[in-house]
Structures are given as C-alpha cells and as structure tokens.
Amino acid sequence: MTSIIKLHTISGAMDESPPCYILQIDDVRILLDCGWDEKFDPNFIKELKRQVHTLDAVLLSHPDAYHLGALPYLVGKLGLNCPIYATIPVFKMGQMFMYDLYMSHFNMYDFDLFSLDDVDTAFEKITQLKYNQTVSLKGKGYGISITPLNAGHMIGGTIWKIVKVGEEDIVYAIDFNHKKERHLSGCELDRLQRPSLLITDAYNAQYQQARRRARDEKLMTNILQTVRNNGNVLIAVDTAGRVLELAHMLDQLWKNKESGLMAYSLALLNNVSYNVIEFAKSQIEWMSDKLTKAFEGARNNPFHFKHIHLCHTLADVYKLPAGPKVVLASTPDLESGFTRDLFIQWAGNPNNSIILTTRTGPGTLAMELVENSMPPGRQLELDVRRRVELEGAELDEYLRTQGEKLNPLIVKPELEEEESSSDSEDDIEMSIITGKHDIVVRAEGRHHSGFFKSNKRHHVMFPYHEEKIKYDDYGEVINLDDYRIVDAASYEYATDDGPNKENVKKEEAHVEQQTNGNGHCDVQLLEKPTKLISQRKTIEVNAQIQRIDFEGRSDGESMLKILSQLRPRRVIVVHGTADGTQVVAKHCEQNVGARVFAPQKGEIIDVTTEIHIYQVRLTEGLVSQLQFQKGKDAEVAWIDGRLGMRLQAIDAPNQAEVTVEQDAATLDSKTLTLETLDIDEIPVHNSVLINELKLSDFKQILMRNNINSEFSGGVLWCCNGTLALRRVDAGKVAMEGCISEEYYKIRELLYEQYAIV
C-alpha cells in the first residue's frame, strides 16, 4: 500500500524567505519548521494561521528564528496544540534565541506579537530527542516514526528522517553542513541510502565558499589591524548558534601570547550571554569528536572562556578596561539589538571595523551595507529607537495615574509596617485572653496618664519579636528573594575570613541586587515603567565594513556531490532563489535520475510514488453497514459500493466556519466517495479467508484442544495419522482425511484462524 504524500510550501520556496512547510502523509499533517523573518511581519504567516488547527506534529531543525521564530506566536496566540519535536540543544538554544530577539525588539518599540510567557509556554510543549532516537507518532500519526540525525550548521541542528511503517522514507535536510568545524561535526547524510523522497534547499547552490584557513586569516588580519590602529571591532553574530564557533575560535586566539591580543578586551554582548555559554558548557557531547575527547580526557571544557567578558548591556561594555575592544554582539541583521546600537556609535570612526558573518534577508541594514559597497563618508538615515526608564516628574505622574492597580511591585513600606504592628498588637491581646502567651507581668501601681483613653492594654514581657506570616487565599505568600540563587561572585565575600560578619552580609545582599539587575534584566525592564524615545538620525559611515562568511553551510559544489551520492528517487527543491533552485533541479534530473519538484511559494504539490492513486472517502451510511472481522493485526470487511463525487468533503467544517479568505478552489473541490448500494444491487461474492497461517502455530492450538499432532515430511498429521494438513504453493492450507467428528472439529479450529469476509 502506498501513502499519498503532499507538500505545502507556505514560505521558503523560490526565494530565501524563512522555511515553513506542511508535509502531508495521508491524513497526517506535519509542520516542518516555522521560521519568521527579522522584522516579524504579521502578513508573512497569514497562510499558516489558517492551517494551524489542522496540524498533527511540528518538527524543528535548527534553534534560530529563521527556523522556529513563529513558534511562540503559534502556541501563545493561535493556540497550536500538537506534539513538537526537537533535539535538546535546539530546545535550550532556541529559547535563548527567542528571549534575546524579544528583548531586542521590545527595547525598540511596543512589541506585542508574543510575550516571554508565550516563549516559555511554547518550549514547554517540545519533546526533546537525542540524535538517532526513533519516536513513533501517536493518535492520527500511528505508524509514522521520526528520527533526528546530525545536520551540522548549529548545535543540535537536525536532518529529519520520516518513515511510515513498511513504506518509503522521507528525508528533510535543509541548511546542513558536511564539513567538520571547531565545535561541530559534519552532517550524517552519507548514512542514508537512496531515500524515496528528499526535501532539500538550494540556498547556497550558486555560492562558492573560501577555504577555512583563508577565512580565518582574513578575520584575524582585520581584528589585528583595527585594534593596533586604536579602533574597535564589531562582529555581528547570532545569539546562540554560529556565535559558539566564533567565540571558541577567538578565545583560542587570545590565549596565544604571540598574537599580542591579550592587551585588548574581548566581549560577548547579548541579553542572555551568560546562559548561552552555560548551556554550551553542558552540551559538549553534541559537539565535535575532538572537543568531546579533550573534555573526557583532561576534563577541559572548551567553553570555559578565560578571555571573553560576558556582557548583558552596553553599560557592561563601557566598564571594560579602556582601549580597543572586540565585541561579538547580536543580532546579525543590524535591524535591532546591540549591533544596531554599537553600529550607530562606532560607524563614524574610520579606525573602527564592522564585520558581518552571515547573509540576512533582503531589505535589512546588514544586506544594504554588503550589497552597496559604501565609499567612506557616505551618509545613512536611520531610526534610532530605545526604551528608557521614567524619571522625575514623569515617574511621579505615572505613579499618580496608574497607582498600584497596574504596577503591584510599587508598595508603600510605611503602610506595611503599620499593618504588621497593629496585627502583632492584636495578637498579644488575644493571647492574654486565650492563655497562649509568653511570661506576662502586669505593671502594678501604674496607670495610663494620657489625655485620650487607650483601647489597648500594654504588658511587660520578655523581648520577643514574632514575624507575622502573611497569607492569602492560596496559603502563605512566598518572597521570591529568599529562594533566589546568588551569583558565583557573591560567594567570594562569604569565603573571606574577615572579622566583620555584618559587612559580609551587606556585601552579599548588594551583589545579589546587582546580579538580579544584570542576569534578569529582562524581568526588571518589564516591571519598571518605561517610555520609548524615537528620532531620525543621519549616520556617516566611515568605518571599514567587511563580510566574512561564518554561516557554516555546505556550498553549492559540495551539495551537488552529496546529492549524487545519495541518489534519491524524488527530490523537492525549496529555500533558494529561482536560479539556484533551477541549478539543483537540473543536476538531479541529469546526474541523479530523480523526479524533481520545484514548487512556488504557497503551492501544494503531490509527490506520491504511484501516479494513479486516488483518495476515496466512505459515506457514513456505508460504514454503518460494514461487518468487520478480526484478523491478526486489524479488522477487515468486504465493501460493495458505488463510486460517486461530492462537492464538499464529508468531514469538512460547517459553512459557517469557513472564512472568506479561503480560496474558492478549496470550496469547489470535489471529493471521491463510495456510496451505499441498494440490497438488490449488492452482488454475491465468494468468501475470502485472510491470514498467513503457520502450521507450527496451528499445532500449538491443536495441543491446547487436546488433539494429538506431529510433523512428518512438512505435513502435520493429526488424530493418529488419519488427518493431514499441508501448505500448498499458493499459500493455502489443504486438509485431507476421513470424514469424522475430529475432522469437523479441526476444520472449525482452522477456520477460526482466518478473518472470513
């Protein structure tokens, strides 16, 4: 039996937009990646909105926004509720990507497409897998298994192998890298042999990469020349993907005393830099064999950086020692984040250098700088937008208008103290009445001499301060600060054997406040009242701008060689320019001999192996008349019906639920159905026995029914040699013997082993 396989290219076809595809295997719909562009254009995923409630599973291949950027929006705002699968690093690093991206955009404008809570909710739904771990889908996807394989490019990057039991295998491989790198191994495409369907990209089909040594020397030369001219270097990188390769390389370069770079500062700047490096330290087993062996042997963690300063704000960069700096900052497109801020500040100085490490989408500032090679002194008009905290009169006005309703974090401590003191006094008075109290002594001969009569009686007692436990409808109110882990820096104070313990505690508290300010700046920014400042600024670009490729993807020549080795039967080429797509398609037709499909954006293509296969739906009236018989692994029934055509699918939504946006073609599409026949029209048919019976299994059944039997010459003899059962060439079982009571009993047992329809 062959499945009907279709692919709907929502995005990433005949262009370089982010990949987003729906793979349909019979009735199961699997979303392959859900990327979003840098500008988070809502029109970009309009088509995906209509499909979100029809999805049965989501497979994520890489942790960056180009592959999973729309996931928080789909889960948080559109209510996507189906299993999501990704490798462990894609889960962890993907979360860091989305945190950093959210903060970068939130600091520039009122970003409301999704929130940090939506990010958390989306990633909580992800099922984390290891490489080569096969998982079977449940429910509607029963019979389909998925296996993640190493793709290179980014840590945890995945090539997905999708197999339906007993049928062909589908391989989804985009943005892979066959080359070994410093921190990653190459992809495992060579392990796959002649897949039935390969979905691959043409992103680098016409791109020729420089050699790794030449690329690294180019970067080192640029950095050395710039810092020796007393200039700063801005390297635009992503948040938690390709940045690991660059950070590891530069830290090794700074270790080398002969390089002379130890005198200069090296920094990694993004909103989650500390967490990214901590996650990288814990995921060495996902990296290259060289790093894994070094870690296992000498316990030397390659991401325990000695020269890289982890910064979360621009203020942290300014606190670095004076002098030239090399800063790895996010995001790579210069549209938002710290790279845009530093570009605006550093672009005017001819001694500075801006290095772009990857290609970004068309229309971004980074692509404009690369494609339009600018002469020194060229001017750019940019929107400079940033978020600042309210101060002075503005803050007072905010507190007056909003009050404690909208900002529950602003609490008046005086009221709290008065409330607690009155509560404690009430408790003392009640304790005297009930008898539960400390030693209480009434002051004899002492009377109240105030002008106003006092309602409360004060008694002398041992000095004891009882902390009042505050509680609400759900129990005790928890103070989060009591359970917050202090950063490693604070323990330096605790280990000192200084005489003044009080000072130690004060210093610890101070460090904790600082840590909360830096490590959890996203929370702090969201809690404090802020405002947006926007202005149009003319930037004079004098700095040297250079693109050095650290994308980590296979180039065109290598990709075509890999396709020739794989020799897939069918190929779908996506995610590349029209020219690049044609290059890959032509190569596959001429050198691989595969059926090639090159869909347009928004097109649905049918890639079923057998051409003359049609999907037929059964009417409810026909299904209710079927008499199912239980076979070995399933229930089967004989169907007699008439092939018909209906204008609307049987299980289609009600007309009221169909939106105006849906294509007229969808509403007018015809569905093949099997209609019920009248009783006098149903033809007579011979009974069909369905099963693959083994005589050895039937011998066990005879033994359980106290019937003696034994094999002799491939024949099963029963009842002291009076009955014989033998297999016929056509796969049937022949029964011979004298007519007797045992004959009919054995025949009845034999019939029970078959589903008779």
Side-chain angles (χ1 to χ4, degrees):
M1 182 180 172
T2 304
S3 298
I4 293 176
I5 301 170
K6 295 180 181 179
L7 187 77
H8 184 187
T9 52
I10 292 174
S11 166
M14 288 293 179
D15 60 11
E16 295 181 353
S17 56
C20 183
Y21 317 103
I22 295 177
L23 176 68
Q24 185 174 341
I25 305 172
D26 292 333
D27 287 336
V28 181
R29 294 164 65 84
I30 302 172
L31 181 65
L32 305 174
D33 287 326
C34 50
W36 211 343
D37 61 356
E38 303 92 342
K39 297 176 181 177
F40 287 107
D41 182 8
N43 296 321
F44 187 73
I45 56 166
K46 191 179 284 184
E47 177 61 30
L48 189 55
K49 281 185 184 180
R50 296 203 286 266
Q51 309 287 344
V52 72
H53 293 296
T54 67
L55 300 175
D56 301 300
V58 179
L59 306 183
L60 304 174
S61 59
H62 295 280
D64 58 338
Y66 252 57
H67 295 85
L68 54 75
L71 189 65
Y73 181 76
L74 295 179
V75 174
K77 296 295 186 282
L78 301 183
L80 175 68
N81 188 20
C82 67
I84 304 169
Y85 298 95
T87 56
I88 297 170
V90 169
F91 166 78
K92 290 184 175 179
M93 296 308 195
Q95 210 164 3
M96 296 301 102
F97 263 104
M98 297 315 297
Y99 281 163
D100 187 40
L101 210 58
Y102 173 85
M103 291 307 302
S104 299
H105 284 263
F106 180 79
N107 289 336
M108 289 182 64
Y109 61 96
D110 290 325
F111 184 76
D112 57 358
L113 281 173
F114 56 83
S115 64
L116 291 175
D117 289 336
D118 293 334
V119 175
D120 292 337
T121 305
F123 280 85
E124 280 170 8
K125 288 181 174 290
I126 290 180
T127 302
Q128 301 173 50
L129 305 178
K130 294 181 179 178
Y131 284 147
N132 303 310
Q133 177 185 349
T134 302
V135 173
S136 298
L137 301 185
K138 296 177 182 177
K140 219 166 144 187
Y142 179 76
I144 297 175
S145 62
I146 56 172
T147 308
L149 304 170
N150 184 14
H153 182 50
M154 290 187 185
I155 186 169
T158 310
I159 293 169
W160 287 102
K161 184 180 178 184
I162 306 161
V163 180
K164 187 154 187 182
V165 177
E167 295 187 24
E168 305 138 339
D169 51 339
I170 301 167
V171 176
Y172 174 63
I174 66 167
D175 291 332
F176 56 84
N177 186 15
H178 70 289
K179 296 178 183 175
K180 288 185 178 179
E181 297 186 280
R182 284 180 174 80
H183 84 297
L184 291 179
S185 300
C187 68
E188 298 178 356
L189 266 177
D190 53 342
R191 289 179 51 192
L192 303 170
Q193 294 181 350
R194 200 159 173 73
S196 173
L197 174 62
L198 174 67
I199 304 170
T200 190
D201 66 326
Y203 191 73
N204 274 354
Q206 296 177 297
Y207 180 64
Q208 199 77 21
Q209 279 178 347
R211 291 191 172 274
R212 177 172 149 180
R213 183 185 292 274
R215 177 198 70 181
D216 294 351
E217 285 178 357
K218 190 176 178 182
L219 178 68
M220 290 162 57
T221 305
N222 188 311
I223 291 173
L224 283 167
Q225 287 178 351
T226 305
V227 294
R228 284 172 181 169
N229 286 338
N230 207 28
N232 297 320
V233 181
L234 170 62
I235 305 178
V237 292
D238 58 18
T239 304
R242 299 301 304 164
V243 65
L244 299 179
E245 175 80 5
L246 270 160
H248 179 256
M249 172 188 165
L250 292 178
D251 192 66
Q252 296 292 322
L253 188 61
W254 252 251
K255 274 183 188 175
N256 185 0
K257 294 181 180 178
E258 294 177 2
S259 67
L261 289 168
M262 295 181 72
Y264 308 108
S265 300
L266 176 62
L268 173 61
L269 173 63
N270 64 50
N271 291 294
V272 288
S273 57
Y274 175 79
N275 302 79
V276 168
I277 301 305
E278 285 301 307
F279 283 147
K281 287 179 187 175
S282 65
Q283 293 170 10
I284 303 299
E285 72 270 21
W286 294 83
M287 298 185 188
S288 64
D289 296 337
K290 185 179 178 183
L291 293 189
T292 307
K293 287 174 184 174
F295 179 69
E296 288 173 353
R299 296 315 256 176
N300 178 24
N301 196 313
F303 287 92
H304 185 72
F305 295 138
K306 295 180 180 177
H307 302 281
I308 294 181
H309 301 272
L310 303 180
C311 303
H312 297 93
T313 62
L314 287 175
D316 294 343
V317 176
Y318 299 141
K319 288 177 187 173
L320 296 175
K325 302 173 181 64
V326 178
V327 180
L328 296 158
S330 66
T331 55
D333 50 37
L334 304 184
E335 285 294 316
S336 61
F338 295 117
T339 48
R340 191 177 181 90
D341 297 334
L342 287 176
F343 174 79
I344 290 168
Q345 294 179 22
W346 291 358
N349 189 342
N351 293 334
N352 293 339
S353 180
I354 315 290
I355 298 175
L356 306 171
T357 58
T358 183
R359 278 181 292 170
T360 55
T364 59
L365 177 58
M367 282 302 284
E368 188 181 340
L369 292 172
V370 171
E371 290 174 353
N372 308 324
S373 52
M374 299 184 176
R378 182 186 163 182
Q379 294 187 337
L380 279 177
E381 277 200 8
L382 295 179
D383 286 325
V384 181
R385 294 176 289 186
R386 58 195 178 96
R387 188 177 290 274
V388 296
E389 294 178 18
L390 296 181
E391 294 177 347
E394 287 181 325
L395 181 60
D396 295 340
E397 178 66 18
Y398 174 85
L399 297 179
R400 189 180 66 79
T401 54
Q402 302 298 323
E404 295 178 8
K405 282 188 304 182
L406 298 180
N407 198 347
L409 294 176
I410 301 170
V411 182
K412 294 181 180 175
E414 297 85 2
L415 291 175
E416 219 173 80
E417 285 174 13
E418 286 176 15
E419 198 177 299
S420 62
S421 63
S422 64
D423 287 345
S424 60
E425 285 172 5
D426 292 343
D427 284 355
I428 292 170
E429 192 169 82
M430 286 304 297
S431 66
I432 294 168
I433 297 168
T434 57
K436 294 177 183 177
H437 54 79
D438 285 342
I439 299 173
V440 177
V441 181
R442 291 182 183 276
E444 294 180 3
R446 187 174 176 185
H447 302 285
H448 182 70
S449 58
F451 181 77
F452 296 103
K453 186 178 179 182
S454 175
N455 291 329
K456 298 186 191 272
R457 298 189 296 277
H458 295 278
H459 307 281
V460 178
M461 59 190 300
F462 287 122
Y464 172 72
H465 174 65
E466 182 182 3
E467 288 190 4
K468 180 72 176 173
I469 298 174
K470 295 193 176 295
Y471 60 90
D472 55 18
D473 294 341
Y474 299 100
E476 182 183 346
V477 176
I478 301 297
N479 182 12
L480 295 177
D481 290 335
D482 296 342
Y483 299 94
R484 195 164 277 158
I485 297 171
V486 182
D487 211 4
S490 62
Y491 290 106
E492 294 175 7
Y493 299 107
T495 52
D496 291 341
D497 295 325
N500 194 343
K501 300 290 181 186
E502 198 170 355
N503 288 347
V504 171
K505 287 181 183 175
K506 284 179 182 177
E507 286 173 341
E508 281 181 0
H510 177 63
V511 171
E512 185 174 348
Q513 286 174 1
Q514 279 188 337
T515 307
N516 294 340
N518 293 336
H520 303 278
C521 59
D522 50 346
V523 180
Q524 293 294 325
L525 281 170
L526 291 175
E527 290 170 352
K528 293 178 180 176
T530 57
K531 68 173 181 178
L532 290 166
I533 298 174
S534 179
Q535 59 179 341
R536 191 82 174 163
K537 198 171 182 180
T538 302
I539 307 294
E540 188 173 323
V541 182
N542 294 317
Q544 179 190 355
I545 294 168
Q546 196 168 19
R547 180 175 178 267
I548 303 176
D549 178 19
F550 273 89
E551 284 181 348
R553 291 185 179 96
S554 294
D555 62 348
E557 185 182 348
S558 305
M559 197 168 67
L560 297 180
K561 284 180 181 176
I562 291 170
L563 288 173
S564 298
Q565 290 173 358
L566 271 181
R567 299 192 66 77
R569 292 183 178 89
R570 290 164 296 157
V571 179
I572 302 176
V573 186
V574 294
H575 195 226
T577 60
D579 293 340
T581 303
Q582 290 305 318
V583 168
V584 176
K586 191 176 178 182
H587 174 83
C588 291
E589 285 174 351
Q590 293 179 353
N591 301 329
V592 181
R595 278 176 63 198
V596 182
F597 303 87
Q600 299 288 334
K601 191 172 177 180
E603 188 180 348
I604 301 174
I605 54 169
D606 190 338
V607 289
T608 309
T609 307
E610 302 295 336
I611 300 170
H612 302 294
I613 288 184
Y614 301 95
Q615 210 165 23
V616 178
R617 295 183 182 273
L618 308 184
T619 58
E620 290 183 7
L622 184 65
V623 173
S624 63
Q625 294 179 5
L626 296 179
Q627 296 178 352
F628 284 95
Q629 300 293 326
K630 191 167 184 181
K632 190 174 182 181
D633 297 323
E635 292 187 353
V636 292
W638 183 278
I639 294 179
D640 286 306
R642 181 185 293 107
L643 196 63
M645 192 82 75
R646 291 197 178 186
L647 292 178
Q648 186 182 349
I650 292 168
D651 58 350
N654 296 330
Q655 289 296 329
E657 296 175 5
V658 178
T659 59
V660 181
E661 292 176 346
Q662 286 180 322
D663 299 326
T666 307
L667 294 173
D668 295 337
S669 62
K670 295 180 179 180
T671 306
L672 290 172
T673 59
L674 268 184
E675 307 287 348
T676 312
L677 290 176
D678 295 332
I679 296 175
D680 55 348
E681 291 181 332
I682 298 175
V684 179
H685 70 275
N686 294 326
S687 297
V688 179
L689 282 74
I690 301 170
N691 192 9
E692 283 284 336
L693 181 67
K694 292 182 180 177
L695 290 179
S696 56
D697 295 339
F698 190 60
K699 184 176 185 293
Q700 301 295 325
I701 293 166
L702 292 174
M703 286 179 62
R704 285 199 291 270
N705 286 273
N706 299 320
I707 298 173
N708 294 325
S709 61
E710 60 180 13
F711 276 108
S712 177
V715 180
L716 183 63
W717 294 93
C718 310
C719 303
N720 298 322
T722 58
L723 290 170
L725 283 89
R726 62 168 59 86
R727 292 186 68 88
V728 187
D729 293 340
K732 299 177 182 177
V733 175
M735 183 175 173
E736 300 172 353
C738 301
I739 299 294
S740 63
E741 189 178 337
E742 286 83 4
Y743 177 88
Y744 289 110
K745 188 176 181 181
I746 292 172
R747 190 181 73 170
E748 188 179 342
L749 288 172
L750 190 60
Y751 282 164
E752 286 177 1
Q753 309 312 309
Y754 289 88
I756 303 173
V757 295

